[in-house]
Amino acid sequence: MPPAMTVTGPVEASALGHVLPHEHVFINLLAEYRAEGLLNDQSRMAEELALFRRCGGGTLVELTPAELTAGAAPDPLGLYRKIPNPTPGPPGSRAAANVHELRALSAETGVNIVMGTGHYRDPYLDKNWFDQTSVDEIAEGIVRDLTDGVAGTGVRAGIIGEIGADRWYVSAAEERSFRAAARAHNRTGVPITTHAARWPVGTAQLDILVSEGVDPRRVIIGHCDGVQIPEYHRDLARRGAYVQFDLIRGADDWDTASRVRLVVGMVRDGLIDHVLLSHDVCTVKQLKTAGGWGYTFVRTRFAELLVEAGLEPDEIEHILVENPRRALTGA
């Protein structure tokens, strides 16, 4: 298998271990979550990653778009600490210091971190820039992050995303972002992962990517468990895409049981190869150090519940290790 690109360099597929394919380490979501939407404490996040490592975790895919990082996101009131960015890139380019912090955390904790690139969704997109910039120019910036590294760092992204749609449709700016991501993928072979929350918009997202020549087997449709429509999940999987249940946080018993049913249903329908599991940690209250489950719930309690629901341990290992390894490397 080809290696996966992490913030510390290429890592052989066999060394990735248990992979969380959709998470955040540093993120600024203050525009939507006033009190909880800021993860920017490096020491605290080091402890969260160490807890993941101690429960058997190996790799975390960090999908914070630059529009949501502290070095690039709007901060009119100065609510979060400043991260200097001496070599700013175009809109949607990560701050160099943010990337250096990710690399330092990976080295400190031993957790492999695969970093994403690309653009997020409305209303975070810079509409004027998208209106004035061609799809190929946008794609060129994504390719640079994947092949040369984020400006001022030499650290290469290893996945395209999360790119997304805010509503039940893909807006004009979002479509331009998706087409740019597809063209960057076609030049690099790097997988694409999406944000498709609350509505079954993953179908439209996949249609756009396929129209640009992307193989559905290289596409991860995210937040599928936010849309509790099993037929939607099966349709995506049968087209070849990965169906990612990534809002697994142990919020309450009903919430967790519904996700157990979704996973078991996919497995029983012969679609185990298309299932990915993660938490999408993005607020303070979700951290284990704040009383939540952090990055550990999938590997621990959720895996136990899958066994109780009838899955075999080797089936769970297939979902947690083999599927994300294949999604990241294409092999």
Side-chain angles (χ1 to χ4, degrees):
M1 286 186 180
M5 180 54 64
T6 76
V7 294
T8 56
V11 172
E12 293 300 320
S14 59
L16 293 174
H18 168 214
V19 180
L20 291 176
H22 190 121
E23 302 295 344
H24 302 277
V25 175
F26 297 119
I27 190 168
N28 168 26
L29 274 175
L30 289 173
E32 292 184 84
Y33 301 96
R34 299 295 192 273
E36 297 288 337
L38 181 65
L39 301 181
N40 71 340
D41 186 325
Q42 186 163 355
S43 62
R44 186 172 200 171
M45 299 317 294
E47 176 61 20
E48 294 291 327
L49 289 172
L51 290 168
F52 169 58
R53 183 69 172 166
R54 286 201 286 272
C55 78
T59 301
L60 181 145
V61 182
E62 213 281 350
L63 294 178
T64 305
E67 288 92 352
L68 294 181
T69 59
D75 180 29
L77 300 179
L79 295 177
Y80 53 78
R81 66 184 174 85
K82 296 293 184 289
I83 296 181
N85 187 16
T87 54
S93 179
R94 276 182 181 254
N98 175 271
V99 177
H100 289 311
E101 287 185 329
L102 283 179
R103 182 166 56 184
L105 279 177
S106 179
E108 177 183 349
T109 63
V111 175
N112 303 311
I113 297 178
V114 176
M115 180 178 66
T117 182
H119 302 275
Y120 191 35
R121 59 167 172 86
D122 290 338
Y124 294 93
L125 300 179
D126 184 334
K127 294 294 186 64
N128 289 332
W129 185 76
F130 271 88
D131 283 346
Q132 297 169 29
T133 308
S134 72
V135 171
D136 285 338
E137 288 177 292
I138 299 168
E140 184 61 38
I142 298 172
V143 170
R144 281 196 300 271
D145 283 353
L146 295 168
T147 58
D148 300 334
V150 173
T153 71
V155 177
R156 293 166 58 186
I159 193 168
I160 300 170
E162 64 180 298
I163 58 171
D166 186 46
R167 302 295 181 90
W168 57 91
Y169 57 86
V170 181
S171 74
E174 290 167 346
E175 178 177 350
R176 185 165 283 199
S177 170
F178 268 81
R179 294 195 181 279
R183 294 179 194 183
H185 161 83
N186 290 337
R187 290 174 56 182
T188 63
V190 173
I192 300 170
T193 186
T194 83
H195 169 105
R198 296 184 292 279
W199 292 283
V201 70
T203 300
Q205 294 177 348
L206 189 58
D207 288 344
I208 293 169
L209 296 173
V210 169
S211 75
E212 290 280 343
V214 177
D215 185 337
R217 293 174 297 180
R218 303 297 284 137
V219 177
I220 302 164
I221 302 298
H223 309 323
C224 285
D225 48 332
V227 184
Q228 302 259 329
I229 305 174
E231 295 80 9
Y232 165 61
H233 307 150
R234 286 154 178 74
D235 287 345
L236 291 171
R238 287 171 180 144
R239 291 179 67 181
Y242 289 95
V243 174
Q244 189 164 259
F245 302 131
D246 54 32
L247 303 173
I248 302 172
R249 299 164 178 164
D252 55 61
D253 290 344
W254 186 94
D255 182 87
T256 300
S258 70
R259 283 158 172 79
V260 169
R261 288 192 294 271
L262 291 176
V263 175
V264 173
M266 290 283 286
V267 174
R268 296 297 177 245
D269 280 356
L271 299 170
I272 188 173
D273 287 344
H274 299 270
V275 178
L276 296 174
L277 305 180
S278 211
H279 310 93
D280 190 25
V281 166
C282 56
T283 66
V284 172
K285 66 181 179 182
Q286 294 161 359
L287 300 178
K288 197 168 181 66
T289 55
W293 283 92
Y295 305 121
T296 67
F297 185 65
V298 165
R299 184 73 182 178
T300 56
R301 181 58 183 150
F302 194 74
E304 293 170 356
L305 291 172
L306 291 176
V307 171
E308 292 175 12
L311 293 194
E312 298 295 330
D314 62 331
E315 291 177 315
I316 296 169
E317 196 73 359
H318 186 89
I319 293 170
L320 298 183
V321 176
E322 179 58 32
N323 285 356
R325 176 191 298 163
R326 189 178 351 102
L328 287 173
T329 65

